[in-house]
Amino acid sequence: MKKVLKILGIVVLALVVVLAAFFAYAQYKNWKTLNTPILPDDYYKSFAEAFPAGGKLEEYYAGQGSYEVDHLEYKSDNKSIGTIHVYYPAELKTSGKQYPVVMVVNGSNTPAKIYLPFFQRLASWGFVAVGTDDPQAGTGETTSIALDFLLDESEIAGQIDRDNIGITGYSQGGAGALGAATKYENSHLYKAIFTGSAAYPLLAISMGWEYDSSKISIPYFMTAATGTSDDMGVTDINKEFGGVAPLASLVEIYNSIADDVLKIRARVTGAEHEQMQARTDGYMTAWMLYHLQDGQEAGKVFLGEDAEILHNTNWQDIEKNG
């Protein structure tokens, strides 16, 4: 009997060691995912090579802007936020001017610290680009908190143009952007929204990122990929999982928004879900330039019957009311 118990003890100990090693590896893998940079400083150059622009404006706005950039970091008391990253035109501290803001909501397990060159490039176009290290930002709450901090407590609060604040997000971050723009006390501060493959309502509800797109009352440019990761081609997207952002969901969201709100829906031809940030960089920038900086040239991307997007072979399934 003692021999049997001894053997059982050894087996149990071995299992404990194996399980401990498994969980230690899983924690390390998760830590590595959340701390390994995914973009080089000149990422937009490799994007341009891998995904050639289909229009001159798309190519132009996907590149680097003319502003030198500086940045600030703020440690937050909110554990989910971790650090608030603020990138801005370097001239801000001496120019005496105020600058528009773009709040960026993270996709799943993608804290801002691992894709900071995205913020740097956006700031080079004259924006204050802000993100957090929240790896699960789908409710929009931490973005709302970060915006309040920027406006009320940051050292550049006086240089923020409070009348020109936009928000963008991809995947889970798209759901978070929709939530941030509709569910919080400071939601009314947003002037424009852009999303890339925002998790569609059925998925968002199941993950705790519920939003009501009919509450969107600001100009909205919604995009998604044509690949199966975004659209699995199911018969009824409200009864079974249809991908992250199926075309049918874009149609439903577009139709849920009042017709007096400028709105655009479009899909990136041949793209898969994970490529959406790369494939939409240029038009996201143009959208924010038009709405937050009165960039009339940028408006030619999507406004009117001769809008560039209508003739761009990189884009399809376009519907717009402006």
Side-chain angles (χ1 to χ4, degrees):
M1 185 66 178
K2 289 182 178 179
K3 186 175 182 180
V4 171
L5 290 174
K6 184 176 181 180
I7 292 172
L8 285 173
I10 292 172
V11 170
V12 170
L13 179 61
L15 284 172
V16 169
V17 170
V18 170
L19 286 172
F22 172 78
F23 284 117
Y25 173 73
Q27 287 181 324
Y28 167 74
K29 189 175 181 180
N30 186 60
W31 176 90
K32 189 174 181 180
T33 297
L34 298 178
N35 288 276
T36 302
I38 59 175
L39 292 178
D41 289 344
D42 61 350
Y43 77 93
Y44 50 90
K45 294 181 180 178
S46 58
F47 281 3
E49 293 176 0
F51 310 111
K56 291 182 178 180
L57 294 176
E58 183 177 39
E59 179 180 17
Y60 177 65
Y61 291 119
Q64 185 87 343
S66 61
Y67 289 84
E68 294 293 326
V69 174
D70 204 345
H71 72 280
L72 294 164
E73 293 184 355
Y74 296 98
K75 295 295 182 182
S76 174
D77 293 333
N78 184 297
K79 291 183 179 180
S80 295
I81 289 175
T83 299
I84 299 172
H85 302 269
V86 182
Y87 280 70
Y88 57 91
E91 67 174 35
L92 176 149
K93 289 190 174 181
T94 58
S95 69
K97 297 190 299 184
Q98 294 185 323
Y99 296 78
V101 174
V102 178
M103 301 297 295
V104 182
V105 192
N106 302 324
S108 301
N109 292 321
T110 312
K113 63 184 175 182
I114 70 171
Y115 68 109
L116 291 175
F118 175 86
F119 294 84
Q120 190 281 332
R121 192 199 71 84
L122 192 52
S124 77
W125 285 97
F127 298 106
V128 176
V130 183
T132 77
D133 282 337
D134 185 359
Q136 301 294 328
T139 67
E141 181 180 10
T142 50
T143 299
S144 178
I145 293 170
L147 177 59
D148 279 343
F149 176 85
L150 178 74
L151 298 178
D152 300 333
E153 301 181 53
S154 74
E155 63 192 83
I156 63 170
Q159 279 69 56
I160 299 301
D161 182 352
R162 294 170 181 249
D163 293 327
N164 286 291
I165 301 174
I167 187 166
T168 186
Y170 298 83
S171 192
Q172 178 182 163
L178 286 160
T182 55
K183 298 193 297 188
Y184 301 97
E185 288 187 8
N186 59 10
S187 293
H188 68 282
L189 295 175
Y190 293 107
K191 188 177 179 181
I193 179 172
F194 180 101
T195 61
S197 298
Y200 86 102
L202 181 67
L203 173 59
I205 290 170
S206 70
M207 298 299 292
W209 312 327
E210 186 174 359
Y211 57 83
D212 182 352
S213 59
S214 69
K215 292 183 178 179
I216 290 292
S217 58
I218 55 177
Y220 181 17
F221 192 165
M222 65 192 81
T223 68
T226 58
T228 55
S229 49
D230 264 4
D231 194 340
M232 298 172 65
V234 303
T235 302
D236 190 340
I237 61 168
N238 294 310
K239 292 183 178 179
E240 57 181 320
F241 178 63
V244 179
L247 174 59
S249 72
L250 262 67
V251 173
E252 288 184 0
I253 291 170
Y254 182 94
N255 292 339
S256 75
I257 298 170
D259 289 336
D260 61 351
V261 175
L262 177 62
K263 52 185 178 177
I264 303 173
R265 66 169 174 83
R267 295 204 297 172
V268 183
T269 303
E272 289 293 346
H273 181 76
E274 67 275 8
Q275 299 172 332
M276 282 301 291
Q277 188 166 340
R279 299 289 296 272
T280 63
D281 234 6
Y283 281 177
M284 179 275 296
T285 302
W287 185 252
M288 294 302 173
L289 283 166
Y290 177 73
H291 289 290
L292 308 182
Q293 295 189 34
D294 193 27
Q296 294 302 306
E297 188 69 14
K300 294 178 182 179
V301 165
F302 39 79
L303 295 178
E305 296 181 359
D306 197 38
E308 181 180 275
I309 192 171
L310 298 175
H311 310 290
N312 188 334
T313 56
N314 287 341
W315 295 82
Q316 66 181 66
D317 305 310
I318 301 161
E319 185 172 359
K320 66 191 192 73
N321 65 353

